[in-house]
Amino acid sequence: MKICILASRFPFPENGGDTLRINSIARYLKSKGFDLILISFCNGEIKLEKEYFELYDTIYVVKHSRLSAFIFSALAILCGKPIQCGYYFSPKFASQVRKTEQMDSPDKYIAHLLRTTSYVENRRMSRKVIVEMTDALSRTYSLSNQSEGFNIKKYIYKIEKSLIRRYEKKVIQYFPKIVLVSANDIEYLRLQNGLGGDNLICHTNGVGCRRYVNNTWNRNKIGFVGNMRTLQNQDAVLFFVKEIFPSIKRQCPDSVLVIIGAEPPKKIRALSDSKNIIVTGFVDDLESEISDCCVSVAPIRIAAGIQNKVLVSMACGIPVVLTSLIAKAIPELETGRNCIIADKPAEIADAVVRVMQNEDYRGQLSKEGCRIIDENYSWNKVLDGYEN
C-alpha cells in the first residue's frame, strides 16, 4: 500500500517539532510495510540525499515562492480563509498532487497541518485523508496576546485567530480522521465547535528508542530547547531571561542558560553574553547537547499540545520545570515527583535552584521522568493504529 504525505516544510534536517513528528510518523508507517510518497515545499535548492530515500520511497519537491505566497495570503484573507492556507497555496504543488494521484494512485494521504488540506478537499480524495492537525491552532493563537512587546507574528495570530477557528470546524466536519497530540486539544475543539468530534483521534508525541542519560551533569547548566522560529518559544525565552534568570543568578552566580533551537531571531541571539547565556542555534545531536544539563526549563505561556522539549529532556534523565499550561498535555506528570510545575516567576526560579542545589532531589526527578518515557512515550506505542 502507498501513503502520500503532503508537507509544507521539507522535513530534513529535523530542526523542529514539526519535522521530527512527520518523520517519526513516516518511520512508523515504513515499519508497517507502507511505501511512502512525500510531496513537500522547499525553500531554495534542495539536494535530495540518499538517506532521505531510506525513509521516503518517492520524493517530489516544489519550490516555495515568497512573492506568490504573499499574493495568495492576501487573497486568502479576502476569501475568509486562514492566512497560512494562502501562504502555502501553490498551483505547482496542486498540480503535483494531481499528477501523483494519477501516476502513483496512493491508497491514503496524510495532510500535515491544516495548511495542506486544501490540496485534498475533493470528494474523491478526501475520504482517504488523515489530517495531521497536531495542535489546536485556534487555542494557541488565542493565547498569543500574553506575549509582551512587538512581534509581527503576534499580530498575524490576532488576525488569523477567527479565520483558523472557522477553518478547523470545516476540516473536522469534512475529513474522516483528524489527529492531534493532546487530549486537551481534542476536548477544546469539541467544546469550541459544538461537535461530537468522533473523528478526532489522539496520537501524542514520542521519543526515539535511544536514550542519552549522563551521570556526570553540570550542576550549573540550565537548558532551554525549542524551535526558535515560533512565537511561543521566543516568548518563553524572553520571559525566562527577563523575569526568572536574574533571581537564579543571585542564588547561583555560576548558572549558565543554554538556549538550543533552530533559527533564533536577532532579539534571541542578542541575549548571548558567552558567559551566563549561550545561544547555540540548530545542533546536529540534541540529546548529546543537553545531556549534561542539570535542569531543563519550559516556561511556556503560549502553546497547545504536548511539547517535545519536555519529552526529550525527561528521556535524557534531565528534570523539567514547566508551566501548568503544557503540563496538562502529559497526564502522567506529578509535580514534585517526576517534574516541577510552576507558573509564577519566583516559583519557577525557586524550583530551578532547588534542583541545582539538591542532588538527591534531582536524582528522584530524573529517575521518575525516565520511567514515564519508558512506559508511555515510545513512538511505536503512541502511533499504534495511526494508519487505520
Side-chain angles (χ1 to χ4, degrees), residues 1 20 22 63-64 99 110 136 195 204-205 226 346 350 373:
M1 293 182 70
L20 171 64
I22 197 60
K63 192 171 182 179
H64 192 215
K99 289 178 182 177
I110 295 176
L195 301 170
T204 192
N205 281 338
D350 289 346
I373 299 300

Side-chain angles (χ1 to χ4, degrees), residues 21 25 28 110-111 129-136 168 171-173 175-190 195-205 305-306 381-388:
R21 180 166 174 84
I25 292 169
Y28 165 79
I110 295 176
V129 173
I130 296 171
V131 177
E132 173 54 43
M133 188 181 287
T134 305
D135 298 324
E168 284 175 338
V171 167
I172 293 168
Q173 291 175 319
F175 291 99
K177 182 173 182 176
I178 317 293
V179 175
L180 294 107
V181 300
S182 166
N184 287 330
D185 278 6
I186 290 177
E187 186 62 25
Y188 166 85
L189 289 172
R190 285 173 176 163
L195 301 170
D198 293 337
N199 59 336
L200 298 175
I201 308 297
C202 183
H203 286 285
T204 192
N205 281 338
I306 195 168
K381 183 168 186 175
V382 299
L383 293 176
D384 185 38
Y386 189 99
E387 70 279 16
N388 297 330

Side-chain angles (χ1 to χ4, degrees), residues 21-209:
R21 180 166 174 84
I22 197 60
N23 281 348
S24 296
I25 292 169
R27 291 184 188 101
Y28 165 79
L29 295 171
K30 195 76 173 176
S31 73
K32 296 295 180 180
F34 289 97
D35 290 335
L36 301 181
I37 303 165
L38 173 68
I39 305 177
S40 175
F41 278 113
C42 66
N43 293 319
E45 298 299 324
I46 293 286
K47 181 181 179 183
L48 296 179
E49 304 288 350
K50 182 180 178 181
E51 63 186 272
Y52 304 165
F53 291 97
E54 294 173 1
L55 181 56
Y56 298 99
D57 299 276
T58 306
I59 300 175
Y60 301 111
V61 292
V62 177
K63 192 171 182 179
H64 192 215
S65 166
R66 287 291 182 90
L67 177 59
S68 295
F70 288 122
I71 292 172
F72 283 116
S73 294
L75 290 174
I77 296 174
L78 293 175
C79 296
K81 290 186 176 181
I83 298 169
Q84 62 181 266
C85 289
Y87 190 84
Y88 287 100
F89 178 77
S90 161
K92 289 183 179 179
F93 197 101
S95 175
Q96 183 59 65
V97 173
R98 289 192 298 270
K99 289 178 182 177
T100 302
E101 182 191 15
Q102 294 167 4
M103 295 168 53
D104 299 292
S105 302
D107 298 283
K108 296 180 183 179
Y109 294 84
I110 295 176
H112 185 217
L113 306 179
L114 284 175
R115 60 193 66 157
T116 64
T117 55
S118 61
Y119 296 108
V120 286
E121 280 185 347
N122 71 72
R123 287 291 178 187
R124 185 179 63 258
M125 299 170 71
S126 64
R127 60 187 175 82
K128 300 188 288 185
V129 173
I130 296 171
V131 177
E132 173 54 43
M133 188 181 287
T134 305
D135 298 324
L137 285 183
S138 59
R139 184 182 178 204
T140 296
Y141 292 173
S142 67
L143 295 168
S144 63
N145 286 334
Q146 296 183 30
S147 175
E148 298 176 2
F150 175 80
N151 189 307
I152 188 64
K153 288 187 177 180
K154 175 180 175 180
Y155 296 99
I156 292 174
Y157 286 2
K158 192 172 183 179
I159 298 170
E160 185 84 325
K161 181 172 61 177
S162 59
L163 299 173
I164 280 289
R165 184 178 291 124
R166 288 199 299 269
Y167 198 68
E168 284 175 338
K169 184 174 183 178
K170 174 186 174 182
V171 167
I172 293 168
Q173 291 175 319
Y174 192 77
F175 291 99
K177 182 173 182 176
I178 317 293
V179 175
L180 294 107
V181 300
S182 166
N184 287 330
D185 278 6
I186 290 177
E187 186 62 25
Y188 166 85
L189 289 172
R190 285 173 176 163
L191 293 172
Q192 188 73 31
N193 296 301
L195 301 170
D198 293 337
N199 59 336
L200 298 175
I201 308 297
C202 183
H203 286 285
T204 192
N205 281 338
V207 293
C209 295

